[in-house]
DNA sequence: TCAGACATGTAACGTGTTACATGATTCT
DNA sequence: AGAATCATGTAACACGTTACATGTCTGA
């Protein structure tokens, strides 16, 4: 759902060709957002049509090649801002929130404070739910092997939420509360 | 890719109607695996065709309704075992591994020890990569706000891997090393 | 000259999502 | 009587994945 935005943000960080993008999505970016080269070319084509990106003259001295470097147009930048502001994420979409942080780093403060606060509340609620299930279903001293496995699955969820909350609380000061100006 | 297997495993735990499955995937199961009712009905239809599941006579006394309860046939159970054994997962597919644990809990020891060991190695390697990036790019005392955000994104990855490894090491004794018999 | 990386694309297919559609049962 | 929940499905579309296809450039 956010692949075009992931591409836009990557292009904001650095104008690139489809090929370069594919490599970047295989390396650094790929650790939290996946996109194959087919998706990338498809989305680049669409985004040229909608006027979000454009091909720049490749000043890379080798105009001989068919290499096409894309940069983000104003409409594309505005779309990123719109997406960051107007697309509330759910607790599942951890990586989309990382994408928003990346956008914030690339184009300046976008006011992520409110959304982060809300997400913290939602993660806390989910952790609470998990802990209630833990108390209710796994309080026994002795558990069968099957029960221990089910408990392990629940613990994966508990640890995940605890870790996310720990991380998020460190991030709060970085996105802060949006200051009106 | 594993939605049919998620459904099979849910049905192994408890034969259910499509509607019941949809609710279960909205609650407990939904915390780590999502499926809408349209996907569920589509997959149930396919799995009836392939002979993995069948509709049982609804002994729920109200045969008046169109309620259809599905149970897993032997071929379906064998498919789950095959999937668990022969589908090596990548580090990204955390939730698919939880699914495998759930299968292990439902149908007995499937020999997940080897895969877990391999995944632990891969997660350790990834954590190592993250730590190298951390040393290389974020060792400076003073970071601009944008750099701090980029560092936060990396820390999300580091914490995630550390937590997973901590969890996985607790799980090792539960899946153990497969004993030949 | 040959292999491997660079570079861009199309085609087919499978899966997931959103909207539409229908009707029975149960509770107030 | 009406609303909410139970219950199952179809249709259209969007998105992601895999395979196919082509050609250039660079270094050994």
């Amino acid at each position: 759902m956010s692949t075009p935005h992931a591409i836009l943000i990557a292009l904001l960080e650095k104008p690139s060709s489809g090929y370069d993008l594919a490599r970047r999505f295989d390396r650094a970016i790929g650790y939290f957002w996946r996109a194959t080269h087919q998706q990338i070319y498809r989305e680049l084509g669409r985004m040229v049509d909608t006027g979000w990106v454009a091909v720049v003259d490749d000043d890379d001295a080798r105009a001989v090649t068919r290499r096409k470097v894309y940069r983000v147009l104003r409409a594309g930048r505005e779309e990123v801002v719109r997406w960051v502001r107007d697309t509330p994420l759910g607790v599942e979409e951890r990586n989309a929130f990382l994408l928003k942080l990346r956008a914030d780093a690339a184009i300046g403060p976008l006011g992520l404070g409110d959304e982060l606060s809300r997400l913290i509340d939602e993660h806390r609620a989910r952790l609470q739910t998990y802990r209630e299930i833990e108390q209710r279903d796994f309080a026994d001293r002795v558990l069968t092997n099957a029960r221990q496995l089910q408990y392990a699955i629940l613990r994966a969820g508990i640890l995940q939420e605890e870790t996310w909350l720990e991380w998020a609380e460190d991030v709060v000061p970085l996105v802060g509360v949006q200051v009106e100006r």
Side-chain angles (χ1 to χ4, degrees), chain A:
Chain A
M1 194 182 116
S2 318
T3 298
H5 301 100
I7 293 171
L8 284 173
I9 293 162
L11 287 178
L12 281 170
E13 289 165 355
K14 180 170 171 41
S16 306
S17 66
Y19 188 84
D20 288 340
L21 281 171
R23 280 194 313 176
R24 291 172 65 196
F25 274 91
D26 245 26
R27 300 175 181 203
I29 303 175
Y31 288 121
F32 67 96
W33 203 273
R34 304 241 137 229
T36 63
H37 90 267
Q38 292 82 351
Q39 274 176 283
I40 289 165
Y41 285 117
R42 183 194 279 171
E43 294 300 339
L44 284 173
R46 286 178 189 173
M47 291 195 291
V48 168
D49 292 345
T50 54
W52 290 354
V53 301
V55 177
V56 286
D57 294 324
D58 191 356
D59 52 81
D60 202 349
R62 7 170 225 177
V64 196
T65 68
R66 298 131 307 151
R67 184 182 151 90
K68 290 194 229 170
V69 173
Y70 294 84
R71 72 182 173 85
V72 180
L73 298 177
R74 202 173 60 191
R77 177 184 288 254
E78 281 164 3
E79 169 58 24
V80 171
V81 174
R82 190 207 60 74
W83 175 74
V84 169
R85 294 210 168 118
D86 304 346
T87 312
L89 302 175
V91 280
E92 327 284 351
E93 297 155 285
R94 280 154 213 265
N95 291 345
F97 187 73
L98 296 183
L99 217 53
K100 287 193 175 184
L101 283 185
R102 206 159 169 144
D104 194 88
I107 45 183
L110 297 170
L112 282 169
D114 288 350
E115 179 154 34
L116 184 55
S117 301
R118 177 182 57 79
L119 285 171
I120 287 173
D121 288 346
E122 291 179 20
H123 279 277
R124 280 188 183 142
R126 176 167 286 208
L127 177 56
Q128 185 56 30
T129 304
Y130 288 164
R131 288 212 170 114
E132 281 162 13
I133 297 171
E134 185 182 27
Q135 288 306 310
R136 176 160 47 79
D137 295 356
F138 300 101
D140 299 352
R141 286 289 160 79
V142 181
L143 297 170
T144 63
N145 197 264
R147 301 288 293 148
Q148 285 184 52
L149 285 165
Q150 285 158 9
Y151 187 22
I153 293 167
L154 178 64
R155 277 204 319 276
I158 290 172
L159 286 169
Q160 209 174 155
E161 294 305 329
E162 284 175 345
T163 305
W164 190 90
L165 282 165
E166 211 181 293
W167 172 82
E169 275 149 26
D170 285 351
V171 175
V172 168
L174 299 181
V175 293
V177 177
Q178 183 77 332
V179 182
E180 292 294 327
R181 59 192 162 91

